[in-house]
Amino acid sequence: MNTFSTDLINWQKKYGRHDLPWQKNIHAYSVWVSEIMLQQTQVATVINYYQRFIQRFPTVLDLANADEDSVFTHWAGLGYYQRARNLHRTSKIIVRQYDGIFPLCPDALVALPGIGKSTAHAICSIVGGHALPILDANAKRVIMRYHNMTEDPSSAAIKKTLWDLAQQHVPQQNCRQYTQGIMDLGAQVCTKKPHCDICPVQSGCKAHHFGDPEKIPLKQKRPKKPERFCYLVWYQYDDAFFMQKRPEKGIWANLWCPIEYTSRPNVPNAAKLVELPQLKHIFTHFILYISPMIIQVGHQSIDYMGKWVPREALQTLAVPAAVKKIQRHLI
Ligand code: SF4
């Protein structure tokens, strides 16, 4: 075993995380759900969502048999709903093609919706103890700093080098501890502002000795995101609000939303208008400025497809994160 992996494994045993909910009774289903939730979301946020999700869908069969609305409801607030959609699609494939048993083979896993190479390797390594490297954001940061890689990590050549280096560090034994260790090190020690003084691999770390760890990985210059504006209108009658399910394509696909307008809507005579503070919501490719309005109407006839939802039931609907934030004013 090389020094990097030995030191990392020893450190993980002593200081790493051992009590995360998905670390108990390890099996492929729970590791897969946690890995998907942890993409773009911090551990502290994921824990509650994970527990609620597993309680409602304890097996891959339960998830496959659930309707999409129910899956979204248990995902609501985590954002990036494509992940929930892919979880649901993958669960159906696992049940249909693999009799409900996850194939612990990277090629088979990456062929499933929403599972990339690093996630596939993490599942195989944590569940099956396979000697495969991971390169999630934490592992990538550790490897790049350890080798003082100052290049742009998005280039194809650097990506290949990174996978080669990551593979070289993987031990033949204790792979689960190693994989957990590199994730823990990236999350707890080799953070944005690294704590090199307590790092178990400091002696071999090139960025620590010869470079500037805080400048690695190199930050890519992103073009300014375009801005869009919309109005979201919660029509209110008595103590219920009108909500509609979004189309299958486009932003917030299949989620429940109030009515969206691209320009300021007319307020019917005799209706009461309440305007809430504008909300800035950042998507991957653009920024959306939302002007929320509540229009209290005197009847239930609305010229849209949708349904009236009692105030207390708003919380149980699968709504986008931005809508959830605004609805705190209503609940
Ligand atoms: Fe990261 Fe510092 Fe450890 Fe290097 S020594 S791996 S920069 S925490």
Side-chain angles (χ1 to χ4, degrees), residues 108-153:
L109 287 173
V110 292
L112 296 166
I115 300 187
K117 183 173 174 180
S118 185
T119 303
H121 285 193
I123 295 170
C124 291
S125 141
I126 294 171
V127 181
H130 298 189
L132 291 165
I134 62 158
L135 267 184
D136 66 354
N138 284 329
K140 193 188 288 180
R141 190 166 55 250
V142 172
I143 299 279
M144 290 196 78
R145 286 174 176 175
Y146 192 77
H147 293 279
N148 199 17
M149 295 173 70
T150 53
E151 303 88 341
D152 177 357

mmCIF file of all heavy atoms in Angstrom, residues 108-153:
data_model
loop_
_atom_site.group_PDB
_atom_site.id
_atom_site.type_symbol
_atom_site.label_atom_id
_atom_site.label_comp_id
_atom_site.label_asym_id
_atom_site.label_seq_id
_atom_site.Cartn_x
_atom_site.Cartn_y
_atom_site.Cartn_z
ATOM 1 N N ALA A 108 -22.043 -1.316 -15.936
ATOM 2 C CA ALA A 108 -23.505 -1.465 -15.851
ATOM 3 C C ALA A 108 -24.105 -0.268 -15.118
ATOM 4 O O ALA A 108 -25.165 0.243 -15.498
ATOM 5 C CB ALA A 108 -23.856 -2.757 -15.134
ATOM 6 N N LEU A 109 -23.428 0.209 -14.083
ATOM 7 C CA LEU A 109 -23.978 1.329 -13.304
ATOM 8 C C LEU A 109 -23.993 2.636 -14.100
ATOM 9 O O LEU A 109 -24.959 3.387 -14.054
ATOM 10 C CB LEU A 109 -23.185 1.508 -11.997
ATOM 11 C CG LEU A 109 -23.437 0.443 -10.920
ATOM 12 C CD1 LEU A 109 -22.483 0.622 -9.741
ATOM 13 C CD2 LEU A 109 -24.883 0.493 -10.423
ATOM 14 N N VAL A 110 -22.908 2.906 -14.834
ATOM 15 C CA VAL A 110 -22.881 4.197 -15.573
ATOM 16 C C VAL A 110 -23.881 4.212 -16.724
ATOM 17 O O VAL A 110 -24.208 5.269 -17.246
ATOM 18 C CB VAL A 110 -21.473 4.589 -16.114
ATOM 19 C CG1 VAL A 110 -20.519 4.919 -15.012
ATOM 20 C CG2 VAL A 110 -20.918 3.546 -17.033
ATOM 21 N N ALA A 111 -24.388 3.054 -17.081
ATOM 22 C CA ALA A 111 -25.406 3.016 -18.145
ATOM 23 C C ALA A 111 -26.779 3.425 -17.598
ATOM 24 O O ALA A 111 -27.722 3.608 -18.365
ATOM 25 C CB ALA A 111 -25.474 1.611 -18.743
ATOM 26 N N LEU A 112 -26.897 3.569 -16.282
ATOM 27 C CA LEU A 112 -28.193 3.913 -15.671
ATOM 28 C C LEU A 112 -28.347 5.439 -15.572
ATOM 29 O O LEU A 112 -27.351 6.155 -15.414
ATOM 30 C CB LEU A 112 -28.273 3.295 -14.266
ATOM 31 C CG LEU A 112 -28.257 1.761 -14.250
ATOM 32 C CD1 LEU A 112 -27.991 1.235 -12.839
ATOM 33 C CD2 LEU A 112 -29.578 1.216 -14.771
ATOM 34 N N PRO A 113 -29.589 5.936 -15.630
ATOM 35 C CA PRO A 113 -29.790 7.396 -15.584
ATOM 36 C C PRO A 113 -29.240 8.023 -14.303
ATOM 37 O O PRO A 113 -29.515 7.540 -13.205
ATOM 38 C CB PRO A 113 -31.324 7.537 -15.636
ATOM 39 C CG PRO A 113 -31.829 6.268 -16.224
ATOM 40 C CD PRO A 113 -30.855 5.199 -15.812
ATOM 41 N N GLY A 114 -28.445 9.080 -14.473
ATOM 42 C CA GLY A 114 -27.990 9.865 -13.324
ATOM 43 C C GLY A 114 -26.774 9.312 -12.604
ATOM 44 O O GLY A 114 -26.368 9.856 -11.579
ATOM 45 N N ILE A 115 -26.196 8.212 -13.106
ATOM 46 C CA ILE A 115 -25.006 7.660 -12.425
ATOM 47 C C ILE A 115 -23.782 7.880 -13.310
ATOM 48 O O ILE A 115 -23.673 7.329 -14.400
ATOM 49 C CB ILE A 115 -25.186 6.157 -12.108
ATOM 50 C CG1 ILE A 115 -26.401 5.964 -11.201
ATOM 51 C CG2 ILE A 115 -23.926 5.593 -11.461
ATOM 52 C CD1 ILE A 115 -26.584 4.549 -10.678
ATOM 53 N N GLY A 116 -22.861 8.706 -12.817
ATOM 54 C CA GLY A 116 -21.614 8.967 -13.541
ATOM 55 C C GLY A 116 -20.521 8.020 -13.046
ATOM 56 O O GLY A 116 -20.749 7.207 -12.148
ATOM 57 N N LYS A 117 -19.346 8.189 -13.624
ATOM 58 C CA LYS A 117 -18.235 7.270 -13.305
ATOM 59 C C LYS A 117 -17.872 7.303 -11.820
ATOM 60 O O LYS A 117 -17.697 6.264 -11.185
ATOM 61 C CB LYS A 117 -17.018 7.671 -14.162
ATOM 62 C CG LYS A 117 -15.811 6.769 -14.009
ATOM 63 C CD LYS A 117 -14.744 7.175 -15.021
ATOM 64 C CE LYS A 117 -13.454 6.393 -14.804
ATOM 65 N NZ LYS A 117 -12.400 6.766 -15.773
ATOM 66 N N SER A 118 -17.787 8.512 -11.253
ATOM 67 C CA SER A 118 -17.373 8.606 -9.845
ATOM 68 C C SER A 118 -18.421 7.975 -8.921
ATOM 69 O O SER A 118 -18.078 7.262 -7.963
ATOM 70 C CB SER A 118 -17.141 10.071 -9.465
ATOM 71 O OG SER A 118 -16.632 10.147 -8.154
ATOM 72 N N THR A 119 -19.699 8.221 -9.206
ATOM 73 C CA THR A 119 -20.765 7.631 -8.378
ATOM 74 C C THR A 119 -20.755 6.111 -8.506
ATOM 75 O O THR A 119 -20.893 5.386 -7.509
ATOM 76 C CB THR A 119 -22.142 8.194 -8.801
ATOM 77 O OG1 THR A 119 -22.089 9.613 -8.691
ATOM 78 C CG2 THR A 119 -23.265 7.673 -7.938
ATOM 79 N N ALA A 120 -20.570 5.626 -9.731
ATOM 80 C CA ALA A 120 -20.521 4.169 -9.951
ATOM 81 C C ALA A 120 -19.363 3.561 -9.155
ATOM 82 O O ALA A 120 -19.506 2.526 -8.489
ATOM 83 C CB ALA A 120 -20.359 3.875 -11.438
ATOM 84 N N HIS A 121 -18.202 4.224 -9.207
ATOM 85 C CA HIS A 121 -17.041 3.714 -8.473
ATOM 86 C C HIS A 121 -17.277 3.766 -6.958
ATOM 87 O O HIS A 121 -16.874 2.864 -6.231
ATOM 88 C CB HIS A 121 -15.797 4.519 -8.835
ATOM 89 C CG HIS A 121 -15.260 4.188 -10.187
ATOM 90 N ND1 HIS A 121 -14.013 4.580 -10.624
ATOM 91 C CD2 HIS A 121 -15.803 3.478 -11.220
ATOM 92 C CE1 HIS A 121 -13.813 4.136 -11.871
ATOM 93 N NE2 HIS A 121 -14.891 3.469 -12.245
ATOM 94 N N ALA A 122 -17.917 4.842 -6.508
ATOM 95 C CA ALA A 122 -18.178 4.966 -5.060
ATOM 96 C C ALA A 122 -19.069 3.815 -4.596
ATOM 97 O O ALA A 122 -18.813 3.190 -3.556
ATOM 98 C CB ALA A 122 -18.842 6.313 -4.754
ATOM 99 N N ILE A 123 -20.098 3.502 -5.374
ATOM 100 C CA ILE A 123 -21.005 2.405 -4.981
ATOM 101 C C ILE A 123 -20.238 1.088 -4.963
ATOM 102 O O ILE A 123 -20.313 0.316 -3.993
ATOM 103 C CB ILE A 123 -22.217 2.331 -5.955
ATOM 104 C CG1 ILE A 123 -23.072 3.608 -5.843
ATOM 105 C CG2 ILE A 123 -23.067 1.095 -5.674
ATOM 106 C CD1 ILE A 123 -24.142 3.751 -6.920
ATOM 107 N N CYS A 124 -19.465 0.825 -6.020
ATOM 108 C CA CYS A 124 -18.728 -0.455 -6.095
ATOM 109 C C CYS A 124 -17.687 -0.558 -4.979
ATOM 110 O O CYS A 124 -17.462 -1.635 -4.422
ATOM 111 C CB CYS A 124 -18.017 -0.586 -7.443
ATOM 112 S SG CYS A 124 -19.156 -0.797 -8.795
ATOM 113 N N SER A 125 -17.060 0.556 -4.665
ATOM 114 C CA SER A 125 -16.012 0.520 -3.659
ATOM 115 C C SER A 125 -16.584 0.429 -2.244
ATOM 116 O O SER A 125 -16.132 -0.379 -1.425
ATOM 117 C CB SER A 125 -15.135 1.754 -3.846
ATOM 118 O OG SER A 125 -14.746 2.279 -2.645
ATOM 119 N N ILE A 126 -17.620 1.237 -1.958
ATOM 120 C CA ILE A 126 -18.177 1.242 -0.597
ATOM 121 C C ILE A 126 -18.963 -0.043 -0.324
ATOM 122 O O ILE A 126 -18.876 -0.619 0.750
ATOM 123 C CB ILE A 126 -19.062 2.497 -0.370
ATOM 124 C CG1 ILE A 126 -18.200 3.755 -0.411
ATOM 125 C CG2 ILE A 126 -19.815 2.416 0.954
ATOM 126 C CD1 ILE A 126 -18.961 5.059 -0.418
ATOM 127 N N VAL A 127 -19.697 -0.504 -1.316
ATOM 128 C CA VAL A 127 -20.537 -1.689 -1.086
ATOM 129 C C VAL A 127 -19.745 -2.979 -1.319
ATOM 130 O O VAL A 127 -19.818 -3.918 -0.520
ATOM 131 C CB VAL A 127 -21.783 -1.664 -2.021
ATOM 132 C CG1 VAL A 127 -22.674 -2.869 -1.771
ATOM 133 C CG2 VAL A 127 -22.568 -0.383 -1.816
ATOM 134 N N GLY A 128 -18.990 -3.004 -2.420
ATOM 135 C CA GLY A 128 -18.323 -4.257 -2.781
ATOM 136 C C GLY A 128 -16.841 -4.297 -2.449
ATOM 137 O O GLY A 128 -16.193 -5.320 -2.675
ATOM 138 N N GLY A 129 -16.273 -3.181 -1.960
ATOM 139 C CA GLY A 129 -14.843 -3.153 -1.631
ATOM 140 C C GLY A 129 -13.953 -3.191 -2.865
ATOM 141 O O GLY A 129 -12.782 -3.574 -2.797
ATOM 142 N N HIS A 130 -14.485 -2.790 -4.026
ATOM 143 C CA HIS A 130 -13.687 -2.828 -5.257
ATOM 144 C C HIS A 130 -12.619 -1.731 -5.245
ATOM 145 O O HIS A 130 -12.868 -0.628 -4.754
ATOM 146 C CB HIS A 130 -14.571 -2.643 -6.484
ATOM 147 C CG HIS A 130 -15.597 -3.728 -6.648
ATOM 148 N ND1 HIS A 130 -16.374 -3.865 -7.765
ATOM 149 C CD2 HIS A 130 -15.968 -4.742 -5.831
ATOM 150 C CE1 HIS A 130 -17.188 -4.900 -7.625
ATOM 151 N NE2 HIS A 130 -16.959 -5.440 -6.454
ATOM 152 N N ALA A 131 -11.462 -2.027 -5.838
ATOM 153 C CA ALA A 131 -10.352 -1.060 -5.857
ATOM 154 C C ALA A 131 -10.542 -0.077 -7.012
ATOM 155 O O ALA A 131 -9.875 -0.159 -8.040
ATOM 156 C CB ALA A 131 -9.024 -1.802 -5.986
ATOM 157 N N LEU A 132 -11.477 0.848 -6.826
ATOM 158 C CA LEU A 132 -11.786 1.818 -7.880
ATOM 159 C C LEU A 132 -11.732 3.230 -7.298
ATOM 160 O O LEU A 132 -12.197 3.464 -6.180
ATOM 161 C CB LEU A 132 -13.203 1.561 -8.420
ATOM 162 C CG LEU A 132 -13.381 0.265 -9.215
ATOM 163 C CD1 LEU A 132 -14.856 -0.064 -9.378
ATOM 164 C CD2 LEU A 132 -12.701 0.399 -10.569
ATOM 165 N N PRO A 133 -11.179 4.177 -8.068
ATOM 166 C CA PRO A 133 -11.064 5.546 -7.530
ATOM 167 C C PRO A 133 -12.356 6.337 -7.698
ATOM 168 O O PRO A 133 -13.155 6.043 -8.583
ATOM 169 C CB PRO A 133 -9.981 6.157 -8.420
ATOM 170 C CG PRO A 133 -10.123 5.443 -9.722
ATOM 171 C CD PRO A 133 -10.624 4.052 -9.417
ATOM 172 N N ILE A 134 -12.542 7.316 -6.841
ATOM 173 C CA ILE A 134 -13.642 8.260 -7.037
ATOM 174 C C ILE A 134 -13.042 9.635 -7.321
ATOM 175 O O ILE A 134 -11.897 9.914 -6.951
ATOM 176 C CB ILE A 134 -14.576 8.347 -5.808
ATOM 177 C CG1 ILE A 134 -13.826 8.845 -4.564
ATOM 178 C CG2 ILE A 134 -15.253 7.019 -5.540
ATOM 179 C CD1 ILE A 134 -14.752 9.452 -3.528
ATOM 180 N N LEU A 135 -13.807 10.469 -7.986
ATOM 181 C CA LEU A 135 -13.346 11.843 -8.242
ATOM 182 C C LEU A 135 -14.515 12.801 -8.089
ATOM 183 O O LEU A 135 -14.871 13.518 -9.017
ATOM 184 C CB LEU A 135 -12.746 11.967 -9.650
ATOM 185 C CG LEU A 135 -11.245 11.786 -9.795
ATOM 186 C CD1 LEU A 135 -10.808 12.038 -11.226
ATOM 187 C CD2 LEU A 135 -10.442 12.677 -8.851
ATOM 188 N N ASP A 136 -15.154 12.767 -6.918
ATOM 189 C CA ASP A 136 -16.160 13.795 -6.663
ATOM 190 C C ASP A 136 -15.402 15.083 -6.320
ATOM 191 O O ASP A 136 -14.161 15.099 -6.315
ATOM 192 C CB ASP A 136 -17.125 13.353 -5.542
ATOM 193 C CG ASP A 136 -16.426 13.237 -4.195
ATOM 194 O OD1 ASP A 136 -15.182 13.380 -4.141
ATOM 195 O OD2 ASP A 136 -17.115 13.016 -3.187
ATOM 196 N N ALA A 137 -16.117 16.147 -6.011
ATOM 197 C CA ALA A 137 -15.445 17.447 -5.812
ATOM 198 C C ALA A 137 -14.398 17.364 -4.694
ATOM 199 O O ALA A 137 -13.298 17.923 -4.813
ATOM 200 C CB ALA A 137 -16.482 18.506 -5.481
ATOM 201 N N ASN A 138 -14.707 16.637 -3.614
ATOM 202 C CA ASN A 138 -13.772 16.550 -2.489
ATOM 203 C C ASN A 138 -12.514 15.784 -2.871
ATOM 204 O O ASN A 138 -11.392 16.214 -2.592
ATOM 205 C CB ASN A 138 -14.451 15.857 -1.295
ATOM 206 C CG ASN A 138 -15.419 16.789 -0.583
ATOM 207 O OD1 ASN A 138 -15.215 17.997 -0.552
ATOM 208 N ND2 ASN A 138 -16.476 16.227 -0.024
ATOM 209 N N ALA A 139 -12.698 14.626 -3.497
ATOM 210 C CA ALA A 139 -11.541 13.798 -3.871
ATOM 211 C C ALA A 139 -10.681 14.534 -4.897
ATOM 212 O O ALA A 139 -9.446 14.513 -4.824
ATOM 213 C CB ALA A 139 -12.026 12.471 -4.435
ATOM 214 N N LYS A 140 -11.349 15.215 -5.823
ATOM 215 C CA LYS A 140 -10.601 15.937 -6.864
ATOM 216 C C LYS A 140 -9.706 17.019 -6.241
ATOM 217 O O LYS A 140 -8.548 17.177 -6.592
ATOM 218 C CB LYS A 140 -11.599 16.580 -7.835
ATOM 219 C CG LYS A 140 -10.954 17.081 -9.098
ATOM 220 C CD LYS A 140 -11.913 17.866 -9.940
ATOM 221 C CE LYS A 140 -12.964 16.990 -10.603
ATOM 222 N NZ LYS A 140 -13.899 17.769 -11.440
ATOM 223 N N ARG A 141 -10.277 17.736 -5.268
ATOM 224 C CA ARG A 141 -9.501 18.801 -4.617
ATOM 225 C C ARG A 141 -8.270 18.222 -3.910
ATOM 226 O O ARG A 141 -7.163 18.737 -4.022
ATOM 227 C CB ARG A 141 -10.407 19.546 -3.623
ATOM 228 C CG ARG A 141 -9.816 20.812 -3.067
ATOM 229 C CD ARG A 141 -10.870 21.666 -2.371
ATOM 230 N NE ARG A 141 -11.583 20.952 -1.329
ATOM 231 C CZ ARG A 141 -12.844 20.578 -1.389
ATOM 232 N NH1 ARG A 141 -13.573 20.867 -2.445
ATOM 233 N NH2 ARG A 141 -13.412 19.913 -0.395
ATOM 234 N N VAL A 142 -8.469 17.107 -3.204
ATOM 235 C CA VAL A 142 -7.352 16.490 -2.470
ATOM 236 C C VAL A 142 -6.264 16.033 -3.447
ATOM 237 O O VAL A 142 -5.074 16.348 -3.276
ATOM 238 C CB VAL A 142 -7.852 15.281 -1.633
ATOM 239 C CG1 VAL A 142 -6.669 14.519 -1.039
ATOM 240 C CG2 VAL A 142 -8.797 15.744 -0.529
ATOM 241 N N ILE A 143 -6.657 15.311 -4.484
ATOM 242 C CA ILE A 143 -5.653 14.767 -5.430
ATOM 243 C C ILE A 143 -4.921 15.911 -6.136
ATOM 244 O O ILE A 143 -3.698 15.888 -6.282
ATOM 245 C CB ILE A 143 -6.341 13.863 -6.494
ATOM 246 C CG1 ILE A 143 -7.044 12.683 -5.825
ATOM 247 C CG2 ILE A 143 -5.347 13.403 -7.564
ATOM 248 C CD1 ILE A 143 -6.187 11.523 -5.458
ATOM 249 N N MET A 144 -5.655 16.915 -6.559
ATOM 250 C CA MET A 144 -5.008 18.025 -7.278
ATOM 251 C C MET A 144 -4.015 18.758 -6.396
ATOM 252 O O MET A 144 -2.934 19.124 -6.828
ATOM 253 C CB MET A 144 -6.070 19.007 -7.812
ATOM 254 C CG MET A 144 -6.882 18.432 -8.951
ATOM 255 S SD MET A 144 -7.781 19.673 -9.876
ATOM 256 C CE MET A 144 -6.484 20.374 -10.920
ATOM 257 N N ARG A 145 -4.395 18.951 -5.143
ATOM 258 C CA ARG A 145 -3.473 19.655 -4.240
ATOM 259 C C ARG A 145 -2.274 18.766 -3.898
ATOM 260 O O ARG A 145 -1.141 19.235 -3.858
ATOM 261 C CB ARG A 145 -4.211 20.080 -2.966
ATOM 262 C CG ARG A 145 -5.147 21.252 -3.202
ATOM 263 C CD ARG A 145 -5.978 21.572 -1.987
ATOM 264 N NE ARG A 145 -6.799 22.767 -2.195
ATOM 265 C CZ ARG A 145 -7.687 23.207 -1.320
ATOM 266 N NH1 ARG A 145 -7.891 22.560 -0.179
ATOM 267 N NH2 ARG A 145 -8.376 24.299 -1.569
ATOM 268 N N TYR A 146 -2.548 17.509 -3.670
ATOM 269 C CA TYR A 146 -1.462 16.591 -3.295
ATOM 270 C C TYR A 146 -0.381 16.572 -4.385
ATOM 271 O O TYR A 146 0.796 16.469 -4.106
ATOM 272 C CB TYR A 146 -2.034 15.187 -3.079
ATOM 273 C CG TYR A 146 -1.063 14.231 -2.424
ATOM 274 C CD1 TYR A 146 -0.814 14.290 -1.058
ATOM 275 C CD2 TYR A 146 -0.398 13.277 -3.186
ATOM 276 C CE1 TYR A 146 0.078 13.424 -0.458
ATOM 277 C CE2 TYR A 146 0.499 12.401 -2.592
ATOM 278 C CZ TYR A 146 0.730 12.478 -1.221
ATOM 279 O OH TYR A 146 1.633 11.616 -0.633
ATOM 280 N N HIS A 147 -0.817 16.708 -5.641
ATOM 281 C CA HIS A 147 0.137 16.685 -6.764
ATOM 282 C C HIS A 147 0.435 18.083 -7.300
ATOM 283 O O HIS A 147 1.052 18.217 -8.356
ATOM 284 C CB HIS A 147 -0.401 15.782 -7.878
ATOM 285 C CG HIS A 147 -0.440 14.342 -7.476
ATOM 286 N ND1 HIS A 147 0.676 13.526 -7.516
ATOM 287 C CD2 HIS A 147 -1.444 13.584 -6.963
ATOM 288 C CE1 HIS A 147 0.342 12.314 -7.071
ATOM 289 N NE2 HIS A 147 -0.935 12.328 -6.721
ATOM 290 N N ASN A 148 -0.029 19.094 -6.593
ATOM 291 C CA ASN A 148 0.199 20.492 -6.985
ATOM 292 C C ASN A 148 -0.185 20.742 -8.449
ATOM 293 O O ASN A 148 0.593 21.296 -9.234
ATOM 294 C CB ASN A 148 1.677 20.872 -6.758
ATOM 295 C CG ASN A 148 1.860 22.383 -6.689
ATOM 296 O OD1 ASN A 148 0.894 23.134 -6.488
ATOM 297 N ND2 ASN A 148 3.096 22.849 -6.863
ATOM 298 N N MET A 149 -1.375 20.319 -8.795
ATOM 299 C CA MET A 149 -1.835 20.475 -10.180
ATOM 300 C C MET A 149 -2.518 21.828 -10.324
ATOM 301 O O MET A 149 -3.627 22.034 -9.825
ATOM 302 C CB MET A 149 -2.816 19.343 -10.545
ATOM 303 C CG MET A 149 -2.142 17.992 -10.546
ATOM 304 S SD MET A 149 -3.337 16.651 -10.763
ATOM 305 C CE MET A 149 -3.807 16.900 -12.452
ATOM 306 N N THR A 150 -1.850 22.723 -11.025
ATOM 307 C CA THR A 150 -2.364 24.095 -11.122
ATOM 308 C C THR A 150 -3.148 24.329 -12.423
ATOM 309 O O THR A 150 -3.610 25.424 -12.681
ATOM 310 C CB THR A 150 -1.190 25.096 -11.050
ATOM 311 O OG1 THR A 150 -0.245 24.714 -12.046
ATOM 312 C CG2 THR A 150 -0.533 25.095 -9.685
ATOM 313 N N GLU A 151 -3.272 23.290 -13.228
ATOM 314 C CA GLU A 151 -3.935 23.451 -14.532
ATOM 315 C C GLU A 151 -5.463 23.500 -14.389
ATOM 316 O O GLU A 151 -6.008 23.187 -13.343
ATOM 317 C CB GLU A 151 -3.577 22.285 -15.470
ATOM 318 C CG GLU A 151 -2.097 22.095 -15.706
ATOM 319 C CD GLU A 151 -1.446 21.186 -14.673
ATOM 320 O OE1 GLU A 151 -2.035 20.989 -13.592
ATOM 321 O OE2 GLU A 151 -0.344 20.695 -14.946
ATOM 322 N N ASP A 152 -6.096 23.836 -15.490
ATOM 323 C CA ASP A 152 -7.564 23.883 -15.544
ATOM 324 C C ASP A 152 -8.129 22.454 -15.461
ATOM 325 O O ASP A 152 -7.893 21.642 -16.363
ATOM 326 C CB ASP A 152 -7.961 24.551 -16.878
ATOM 327 C CG ASP A 152 -9.466 24.588 -17.071
ATOM 328 O OD1 ASP A 152 -10.195 24.055 -16.212
ATOM 329 O OD2 ASP A 152 -9.901 25.152 -18.089
ATOM 330 N N PRO A 153 -8.859 22.132 -14.382
ATOM 331 C CA PRO A 153 -9.322 20.752 -14.218
ATOM 332 C C PRO A 153 -10.398 20.332 -15.221
ATOM 333 O O PRO A 153 -10.745 19.153 -15.295
ATOM 334 C CB PRO A 153 -9.905 20.738 -12.791
ATOM 335 C CG PRO A 153 -10.215 22.158 -12.481
ATOM 336 C CD PRO A 153 -9.284 23.008 -13.289
#
